[in-house]
């Protein structure tokens, strides 16, 4: 498509957008009396207007029924988590029995590593991306220490080449090959939180599979953002949070995926709790853990229903929009953002903004990270003053994520106008 840097053009794209009415389903934060340009759906997705009703229903059922709500609430609490696999399996690309919603992300990462990081004296290393999200780094660090290894020896980080911001897929595949005899696990992000780089999960999983190495992904920045086919890619396990692209509220519940070949293996090592126990006999409350032969077998506790209700409100919207339509719009929105930034750069004698997110279609999602040459936090603060909610990362990167459910092409255009104006000051 030939983009144009005009308001009329952006408005025309919005007019033609099949998903345009979805924006009305969300509360858009107000800044200086006006709807802001919200570009932080990658950090905390906006609140659906329906969420309050979903949560209120559960509060009402609790008020009127007390413990009976476990069986008689409008959405009975006991099997509440069973609502999700159908919808989530379409979002992450797997079978319903491979997914369950439980706990929070870092907790789940640890629980999954209990099952999928079982190092031996010779095969004990983990391959990951350099500068992964800090919580993931700490999880890996404490896991290798727990097994008696040192971080610097046991964790191999793949870095960008000199002078580059993103990690070449070739280098990742080569690192797996080079360390094939000592690797117990390949554990990568699906999308890097800083650069927005989408890692080529299919190729990474394929390489690890060929060499008999387990492979897992942290999909915090991928779930609800990019197309995923976890089952077909033969990924062993994955986890994600629900409060970023999945709009399920601050600190919302997390989801996990476990490939069917492992999920059905009730002998697989895990840390167990009663909610993962065989449903037929759970309430006989006998000794000796008997796992449910699906991803549900990893659940520990009964579900946090208020948070689950918020998740349900958000996923019902995803279901209606459909991942295919969301993907199409998402690509168009981020391509428009690339175009607008290129136009701004062209209007100055030297380019003032470096886009560090890959341009290649298979390596980007919603998020575009821009490095502001010669600009500091003051510049970012000025953007906020103009009604843009984006995200600043030291030393000089701004992360911008136009999301297809509620952002518009006009948001992207207006953002460009503000950026241009501030750069001219
Ligand atoms: C957001 C994010 C987290 C946050 O973890 P919580 O346990 O939900 O606080 C962890 N890892 C990655 C990659 C993230 O993007």
């Amino acid at each position: 498509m030939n983009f144009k840097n005009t308001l009329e053009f952006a408005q025309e794209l919005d007019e033609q957008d099949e998903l345009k009415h979805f924006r009305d389903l969300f509360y858009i934060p107000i800044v200086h009396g006006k709807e802001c340009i919200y570009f932080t759906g990658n950090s905390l997705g906006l609140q659906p207007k329906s969420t309050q009703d979903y949560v209120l229903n559960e509060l009402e059922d609790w008020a009127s029924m007390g413990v009976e709500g476990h069986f008689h609430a409008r959405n009975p609490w006991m099997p509440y988590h069973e609502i999700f696999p159908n919808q989530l399996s379409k979002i992450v690309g797997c079978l319903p029995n491979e997914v369950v919603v439980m706990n929070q992300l870092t907790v789940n990462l640890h629980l999954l590593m209990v099952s999928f990081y079982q190092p031996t004296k010779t095969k004990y290393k983990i391959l990951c991306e350099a500068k992964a999200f800090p919580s993931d780094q700490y999880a890996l660090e404490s896991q290798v220490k727990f097994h008696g290894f040192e971080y610097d020896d046991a964790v191999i980080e793949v870095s960008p080449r000199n002078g580059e911001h993103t990690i070449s897929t070739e280098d990742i595949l080569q690192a797996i090959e080079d360390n094939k005899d000592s690797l117990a696990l390949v554990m990568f992000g699906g999308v890097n939180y800083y650069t927005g780089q989408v890692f080529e999960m299919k190729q990474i999983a394929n390489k690890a599979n060929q060499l008999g190495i387990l492979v897992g992904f942290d999909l915090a920045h991928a779930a609800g953002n990019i197309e995923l086919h976890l089952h077909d890619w033969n990924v062993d396990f994955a986890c994600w949070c629900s409060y970023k692209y999945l709009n399920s509220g601050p600190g919302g519940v997390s989801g996990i995926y476990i490939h069917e070949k492992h999920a059905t293996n009730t002998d697989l090592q895990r840390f167990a709790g009663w909610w993962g126990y065989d449903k037929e006999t759970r309430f006989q409350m006998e000794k000796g853990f008997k796992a449910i032969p699906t991803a549900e077998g990893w659940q520990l506790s009964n579900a946090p229903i208020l948070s689950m209700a918020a998740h349900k409100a958000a996923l019902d919207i995803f279901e209606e929009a459909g991942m295919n339509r969301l993907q199409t719009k998402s690509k168009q929105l981020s391509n428009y953002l690339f175009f607008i930034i290129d136009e701004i750069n062209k209007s100055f004698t030297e380019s003032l903004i470096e886009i560090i997110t890959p341009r290649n279609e298979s390596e980007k999602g919603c998020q575009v990270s821009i490095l502001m040459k010669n600009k500091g936090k003051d510049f970012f603060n000025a953007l906020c003053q103009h009604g843009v909610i984006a995200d600043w990362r030291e030393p000089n990167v701004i992360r911008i994520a136009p999301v297809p459910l509620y952002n518009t092409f006009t948001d992207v255009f207006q953002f460009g106008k503000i950026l241009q104006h501030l750069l001219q000051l």
Side-chain angles (χ1 to χ4, degrees):
M1 175 179 291
N2 285 324
F3 290 125
K4 289 185 205 153
N5 190 6
T6 66
L7 179 61
E8 295 71 37
F9 180 78
Q11 286 174 336
E12 197 180 308
L13 287 182
D14 284 330
E15 204 38 55
Q16 291 163 1
D17 172 15
E18 280 183 54
L19 299 174
K20 64 182 172 210
H21 53 286
F22 280 88
R23 179 178 169 88
D24 292 335
L25 303 180
F26 291 85
Y27 289 111
I28 311 293
I30 303 294
V31 174
H32 306 316
K34 268 192 3 202
E35 282 186 348
C36 72
I37 299 177
Y38 193 79
F39 281 156
T40 36
N42 58 337
S43 184
L44 183 70
L46 290 180
Q47 182 183 150
K49 290 176 180 164
S50 55
T51 302
Q52 296 184 17
D53 277 343
Y54 278 63
V55 174
L56 204 59
N57 281 350
E58 303 309 330
L59 288 172
E60 284 169 6
D61 288 352
W62 176 25
S64 63
M65 295 179 206
V67 72
E68 294 294 309
H70 282 299
F71 301 99
H72 303 298
R74 280 161 282 185
N75 295 303
W77 305 328
M78 210 189 38
Y80 200 99
H81 63 276
E82 293 173 13
I83 294 174
F84 297 111
N86 211 2
Q87 291 176 329
L88 274 174
S89 61
K90 290 181 217 157
I91 293 176
V92 301
C94 68
L95 306 173
N97 67 356
E98 294 176 322
V99 64
V100 72
V101 170
M102 61 182 205
N103 312 319
Q104 282 162 307
L105 176 54
T106 309
V107 172
N108 284 339
L109 189 53
H110 278 296
L111 291 175
L112 288 165
M113 288 187 73
V114 167
S115 297
F116 297 102
Y117 177 58
Q118 296 185 34
T120 65
K121 272 211 170 72
T122 50
K123 263 175 113 58
Y124 61 94
K125 295 194 179 180
I126 303 175
L127 188 90
C128 68
E129 79 220 67
K131 299 199 178 150
F133 191 88
S135 201
D136 298 43
Q137 293 181 34
Y138 308 146
L140 297 193
E141 177 186 339
S142 53
Q143 283 279 337
V144 299
K145 277 192 182 157
F146 177 73
H147 287 284
F149 301 102
E150 289 300 325
Y151 186 88
D152 289 343
D153 174 44
V155 179
I156 303 169
E157 297 180 351
V158 189
S159 301
R161 296 178 186 180
N162 263 344
E164 295 183 7
H165 295 284
T166 54
I167 305 173
S168 102
T169 304
E170 196 189 322
D171 290 354
I172 299 171
L173 302 181
Q174 191 61 48
I176 300 176
E177 179 72 43
D178 291 346
N179 297 285
K180 60 176 189 272
D181 296 327
S182 57
L183 281 178
L185 178 64
V186 173
M187 177 74 232
F188 255 72
V191 178
N192 181 271
Y193 80 100
Y194 190 86
T195 62
Q197 177 182 14
V198 174
F199 293 112
E200 305 220 47
M201 287 175 266
K202 182 180 178 181
Q203 292 192 53
I204 295 171
N206 190 30
K207 184 76 183 175
N209 286 167
Q210 278 171 11
L211 298 171
I213 302 162
L214 291 170
V215 57
F217 292 104
D218 183 330
L219 302 177
H221 281 265
N225 172 11
I226 59 169
E227 199 175 323
L228 296 162
H229 299 282
L230 298 179
H231 178 88
D232 289 345
W233 295 340
N234 217 3
V235 172
D236 292 293
F237 69 94
C239 48
W240 55 90
C241 56
S242 64
Y243 50 82
K244 291 173 180 165
Y245 293 100
L246 294 177
N247 309 320
S248 303
V253 280
S254 162
I256 67 161
Y257 151 90
I258 296 175
H259 193 284
E260 190 177 36
K261 68 186 172 205
H262 304 301
T264 53
N265 176 5
T266 53
D267 291 332
L268 190 57
Q269 187 98 259
R270 73 195 72 188
F271 283 169
W274 72 322
W275 230 247
Y277 194 95
D278 170 54
K279 289 182 214 175
E280 301 297 314
T281 52
R282 179 189 293 155
F283 287 96
Q284 292 172 11
M285 306 216 164
E286 296 280 353
K287 260 194 194 167
F289 180 71
K290 260 170 71 183
I292 302 170
T294 69
E296 287 179 68
W298 271 260
Q299 295 173 106
L300 300 184
S301 301
N302 74 97
I305 297 298
L306 303 182
S307 183
M308 301 291 254
H311 196 28
K312 171 88 178 112
L315 292 189
D316 283 351
I317 294 175
F318 260 86
E319 178 87 5
E320 207 186 315
M323 277 307 277
N324 284 341
R325 289 198 298 174
L326 287 167
Q327 278 302 298
T328 307
K329 180 174 169 188
S330 168
K331 289 189 175 131
Q332 228 187 0
L333 266 177
S334 68
N335 285 336
Y336 191 47
L337 180 55
F338 272 86
F339 165 81
I340 294 282
I341 292 169
D342 289 344
E343 289 289 298
I344 294 173
N345 271 331
K346 279 190 221 154
S347 72
F348 294 95
T349 46
E350 52 169 342
S351 80
L352 300 176
I353 305 171
E354 182 184 356
I355 300 178
I356 63 173
T357 306
R359 282 173 187 262
N360 162 11
E361 207 58 76
S362 65
E363 287 186 281
K364 70 175 168 64
C366 292
Q367 178 185 327
V368 179
S369 298
I370 57 178
L371 188 152
M372 305 302 301
K373 302 180 189 165
N374 330 314
K375 294 286 177 195
K377 186 88 197 275
D378 290 351
F379 184 81
F380 176 74
N381 293 341
L383 268 180
C384 302
Q385 279 303 314
H386 283 76
V388 177
I389 301 190
D391 170 287
W392 174 259
R393 293 285 135 159
E394 295 295 336
N396 55 354
V397 166
I398 299 174
R399 302 189 300 169
I400 308 153
V403 308
L405 271 175
Y406 48 76
N407 282 121
T408 61
F409 293 90
T410 305
D411 281 342
V412 173
F413 170 79
Q414 297 291 13
F415 170 71
K417 288 285 278 187
I418 295 167
L419 205 56
Q420 176 102 40
H421 166 72
L422 293 175
L423 285 168
Q424 276 162 348
L425 290 181

